[in-house]
Amino acid sequence: MKNYKLALIYVLTVLTLAACNSDDDHTITGEELTATLPGTLNLTLDAVVGQEDFELHTTYDIEGQQLNFNQFRYWISHVILTDTDGEEFSIEDSYYLMEETEAISIQDGAYEYPANKRETITLTGIPAGSYTSIKFAVGIDPAYNDNLSLQAGELSQLNGMTNISWMWHTSYIFASLKGTDTGNDTQLQLETGLNSSYRTVVLTLDKDLEIGGDTDRNLTITTDIAGILNGIKVTETPVIGASTPEAMTTMADNFESNTFTVVPADEE
Amino acid sequence: MKNKRFPYYLLYIFLACTGCTTDDDGIGEDPEYTLRIPSHFPVPPEYPDNPMTTAGIELGEKLFFDTRLSGTNTVSCGTCHQPRLAFSEGSRLSVKGVSGKPLLRHVPTLINMAWADNGLFWDGGSTNLESQAFAPLAHEDEMFQNLDELITELREDPEYVSYFRRAFDSDIRINQVMKALAQYQRSLVSADSKYDSHIENGTPLTAIEKQGHQLFKNHCATCHTPGLFTDNDYHNNGLDATFGDTSHDEIYLGRYRVTRNREDLGKYKTPTLRNITVTAPYMHDGRFADLRSVLDFYDRDVQDSETLDPALKQNNRSGIALSEEDKSALIAFLHTLTDKTYVR
């Protein structure tokens, strides 16, 4: 008797949990069933420099500057998809660290973060539907940025993207580009952070994206490093961060408007 | 019989609800802790993300005094924040960190931290205790701890395992280390000085203490506001006339480093004056050895600059005119702020 009741509770709970993600309440026919199940989107943020693919340890001409990078990392968060009816679907706990980096010494050498390349994130449980645009933030929202003890998504203090290196600021680094200006042989450390650098990016898709059912869908967006550095003269500011608020704002603004482009669906 | 049946649908609703939320860590079974709020204190802010529990505070206290929190296993938070000095350290610029190099700022007290809701550190560069602790833990001249390693070390200690279970109903994670440290520091309430019993119970002050109290109300209370004896705000009290040293990530520019607003050049957070008799030396760089020197400074050496606080620029002069008798009276009053139950 007891077992039967527990089983019933289990079934009801599973059904309810499934219902958490779906807002359709009309009766579903057999054929409709698979099509209306939540689907998966593989979102790729492909780092590029203008028309070229981005690679570490390669010198690029950016605004007449000869730049070579060994680290490119940034947080994206609060990913939201909007469907043809204008309904928004927010991916829960969406904090992702995108990166292409050689091994990083953390805390002045206390330990090492391994070399890594990560450009794709898999978004699951997206309600079946036809989506027209994607929205995400570059950086961490103030609630989480101001309180490093709150845990969500991939947020971590162990990967060198907290500004422990910015003495006495205790919050996240939003984006970090490191390397060399080979023209002058100067080290570059170009970073954004602090709540004032938080930016939201909205991108309209060239073609409605049908998500749902068993087939994963792909969406590629390019992240243009030349765009991030639009208007930035690294000879003037080889180090960008909290103490160079103007250059940091330029970088943050560039993330909002000059960096991300949707790759048309048929060119993927 | 019917009435005795357990309402299973309630359990179902409960399960369904917890299923939909994604709150990461719970609080343990421990009852919530009620922070003591002295009657003459303002209402403290709430910390809904980190409710205080007895188990959380106990765990935080254990962590605070545990040298395993440092890379060399020799330095704890309590090495620099010593209870017998009202959680300050006693030297101008501490060399007690793992590198032995002098720190760039004087170690402040930790008193009534639950009320400190307008930034931490002398310039307010950190927003809350939950984030702040990462700075000393990671800094190479303080504790220089590998955070991954710390978690491994703590997990090897069965006592910690059960403490974290009780406090957070979870295994050991770095964010809970932060939360526990924050809970412990917020539980540190100092409100049992002679001054407090004067305000709360009418315990009489001596004539000279009374005189000092009056002078204090006239000249000091706008910034060192009773009952916390700080307004939790930032002021330039005239220690320096110019701010040209931009070394060390502009740490010598005061609050400006954080806000990038020129009006904040040379401003620092008003320190509480509670337990001030045991927390010498004084100011963000520990430049004054005793209270007499502080008062001589307020009387004679306040430096004028664009950001000098208007309260210290009155009657066509910088600073506060104080006779030697005034100074003695003020010092007598400041002695009434020492809380013997706090300073252990």
Side-chain angles (χ1 to χ4, degrees):
Chain A
M1 185 66 173
K2 220 177 198 167
N3 283 344
Y4 156 76
K5 276 180 176 159
L6 281 175
L8 182 65
I9 288 158
Y10 174 71
V11 170
L12 284 171
T13 307
V14 168
L15 284 175
T16 310
L17 284 177
C20 287
N21 290 328
S22 114
D23 36 27
D24 278 357
D25 49 10
H26 71 269
T27 356
I28 305 167
T29 66
E31 289 137 55
E32 271 179 342
L33 188 62
T34 46
T36 50
L37 284 176
T40 297
L41 174 67
N42 297 313
L43 172 64
T44 300
L45 295 172
D46 181 17
V48 299
V49 181
Q51 303 302 316
E52 297 169 70
D53 192 34
F54 171 73
E55 280 180 59
L56 297 178
H57 311 298
T58 304
T59 302
Y60 297 96
D61 184 310
I62 299 177
E63 305 215 348
Q65 313 169 101
Q66 306 307 312
L67 310 182
N68 187 305
F69 299 100
N70 53 29
Q71 173 175 328
F72 175 43
R73 318 175 81 193
Y74 59 104
W75 289 103
I76 74 158
S77 63
H78 287 267
V79 181
I80 294 175
L81 292 165
T82 306
D83 70 13
T84 40
D85 300 331
E87 291 275 337
E88 293 194 335
F89 176 73
S90 310
I91 311 289
E92 264 197 60
D93 276 348
S94 51
Y95 296 89
Y96 308 98
L97 181 58
M98 312 308 294
E99 63 184 356
E100 187 157 350
T101 180
E102 61 180 27
I104 304 168
S105 140
I106 309 270
Q107 282 178 241
D108 307 282
Y111 54 110
E112 196 177 82
Y113 180 89
N116 191 28
K117 174 165 175 169
R118 197 278 185 101
E119 296 194 319
T120 300
I121 53 187
T122 303
L123 309 173
T124 55
I126 302 170
S130 187
Y131 292 91
T132 59
S133 74
I134 184 165
K135 185 154 84 175
F136 57 86
V138 179
I140 309 294
D141 51 300
Y144 282 81
N145 195 37
D146 288 345
N147 188 335
L148 295 180
S149 78
L150 298 181
Q151 206 73 53
E154 295 173 8
L155 290 178
S156 161
Q157 296 74 36
L158 306 176
N159 56 21
M161 286 294 273
T162 47
N163 52 20
I164 280 167
S165 57
W166 289 355
M167 201 161 51
W168 304 130
H169 277 285
T170 49
S171 52
Y172 292 93
I173 295 171
F174 292 177
S176 172
L177 251 177
K178 289 186 185 170
T180 344
D181 173 2
T182 59
N184 303 301
D185 200 18
T186 346
Q187 295 298 310
L188 303 178
Q189 178 179 316
L190 314 173
E191 295 180 330
T192 65
L194 305 185
N195 295 340
S196 58
S197 294
Y198 184 72
R199 293 291 185 280
T200 300
V201 179
V202 185
L203 299 169
T204 306
L205 308 182
D206 66 310
K207 207 153 85 186
D208 292 356
L209 189 60
E210 306 294 337
I211 301 179
D214 293 336
T215 320
D216 288 11
R217 304 311 302 258
N218 299 320
L219 173 64
T220 303
I221 292 169
T222 54
T223 306
D224 184 3
I225 288 165
I228 297 169
L229 298 179
N230 186 20
I232 292 197
K233 289 274 162 268
V234 296
T235 39
E236 285 163 26
T237 49
V239 176
I240 296 180
S243 55
T244 57
E246 272 177 38
M248 188 167 82
T249 304
T250 305
M251 251 178 97
D253 290 344
N254 284 338
F255 268 111
E256 183 174 341
S257 353
N258 297 324
T259 300
F260 299 102
T261 312
V262 173
V263 176
D266 41 16
E267 287 174 26
E268 281 209 348
Chain B
M1 184 63 191
K2 232 179 186 170
N3 292 338
K4 268 192 182 164
R5 259 171 58 185
F6 179 76
Y8 279 97
Y9 64 92
L10 280 182
L11 181 57
Y12 159 66
I13 288 169
F14 168 74
L15 285 173
C17 289
T18 47
C20 283
T21 64
T22 57
D23 207 356
D24 76 313
D25 36 64
I27 52 171
E29 285 166 23
D30 223 52
E32 280 204 24
Y33 171 90
T34 313
L35 181 73
R36 171 181 171 209
I37 304 171
S39 62
H40 54 303
F41 277 30
V43 177
E46 285 177 30
Y47 299 95
D49 292 326
N50 187 16
M52 290 165 82
T53 63
T54 314
I57 293 165
E58 269 175 35
L59 169 60
E61 178 168 16
K62 190 171 154 64
L63 289 165
F64 193 90
F65 295 103
D66 190 337
T67 54
R68 277 177 289 181
L69 264 68
S70 64
T72 52
N73 292 344
T74 53
V75 177
S76 74
C77 308
T79 305
C80 292
H81 300 285
Q82 302 175 15
R84 66 184 182 89
L85 301 175
F87 296 86
S88 66
E89 193 257 4
S91 73
R92 268 191 65 197
L93 297 174
S94 175
V95 293
K96 292 204 176 77
V98 297
S99 70
K101 285 195 212 147
L103 301 180
L104 300 174
R105 285 192 184 144
H106 178 64
V107 180
T109 58
L110 303 177
I111 299 173
N112 300 328
M113 297 307 287
W115 282 265
D117 63 347
N118 191 30
L120 297 167
F121 293 142
W122 286 97
D123 58 17
S126 182
T127 9
N128 49 43
L129 292 171
E130 282 81 358
S131 307
Q132 179 276 336
F134 281 109
L137 275 178
H139 197 277
E140 57 181 341
D141 294 326
E142 292 184 58
M143 299 168 89
F144 204 29
Q145 176 62 275
N146 172 334
L147 299 176
D148 261 339
E149 210 172 271
L150 172 61
I151 296 309
T152 313
E153 261 176 276
L154 295 180
R155 282 183 181 157
E156 282 163 6
D157 182 339
E159 206 179 308
Y160 270 124
V161 172
S162 75
Y163 258 114
F164 278 84
R165 184 71 41 218
R166 269 207 293 139
F168 298 108
D169 195 19
S170 107
D171 58 358
I172 301 180
R173 286 190 269 147
I174 190 72
N175 62 318
Q176 277 132 9
V177 172
M178 302 299 124
K179 286 184 176 179
L181 283 170
Q183 289 190 33
Y184 168 61
Q185 293 174 85
R186 284 194 187 111
S187 74
L188 300 170
V189 177
S190 176
D192 294 309
S193 65
K194 179 170 184 187
Y195 168 83
D196 295 300
S197 78
H198 170 67
I199 296 295
E200 288 191 309
N201 315 320
T203 306
L205 299 182
T206 64
I208 188 166
E209 289 166 352
K210 243 191 228 156
Q211 193 187 335
H213 190 193
Q214 194 54 49
L215 286 161
F216 190 86
K217 285 193 218 161
N218 294 347
H219 299 301
C220 320
T222 49
C223 300
H224 299 282
T225 315
L228 298 170
F229 288 87
T230 169
D231 58 358
N232 276 326
D233 213 338
Y234 302 84
H235 305 274
N236 173 359
N237 71 341
L239 291 171
D240 298 301
T242 55
F243 307 96
D245 185 350
T246 56
S247 63
H248 296 292
D249 284 339
E250 309 186 340
I251 200 164
Y252 301 114
L253 303 188
R255 177 87 175 143
Y256 171 85
R257 189 188 67 88
V258 175
T259 63
R260 319 301 304 178
N261 180 347
R262 290 197 62 81
E263 287 173 18
D264 287 336
L265 271 173
K267 289 190 185 173
Y268 291 88
K269 194 170 64 177
T270 313
T272 180
L273 299 184
R274 286 187 169 275
N275 304 300
I276 195 73
T277 54
V278 303
T279 64
Y282 303 109
M283 305 297 171
H284 68 270
D285 52 6
R287 70 175 70 181
F288 297 126
D290 52 39
L291 287 174
R292 181 64 68 164
S293 316
V294 170
L295 295 179
D296 286 345
F297 151 76
Y298 275 117
D299 174 25
R300 296 196 297 259
D301 289 330
V302 170
Q303 305 292 307
D304 198 6
S305 68
E306 269 177 35
T307 57
L308 176 63
D309 198 279
L312 294 164
K313 217 192 286 196
Q314 287 178 354
N315 312 320
N316 292 322
R317 82 188 282 282
S318 303
I320 302 164
L322 297 169
S323 68
E324 292 311 303
E325 190 196 331
D326 289 344
K327 290 176 195 170
S328 301
L330 273 168
I331 290 172
F333 173 68
L334 292 175
H335 271 86
T336 71
L337 300 180
T338 306
D339 176 350
K340 295 207 180 65
T341 65
Y342 196 74
V343 179
R344 291 166 279 129

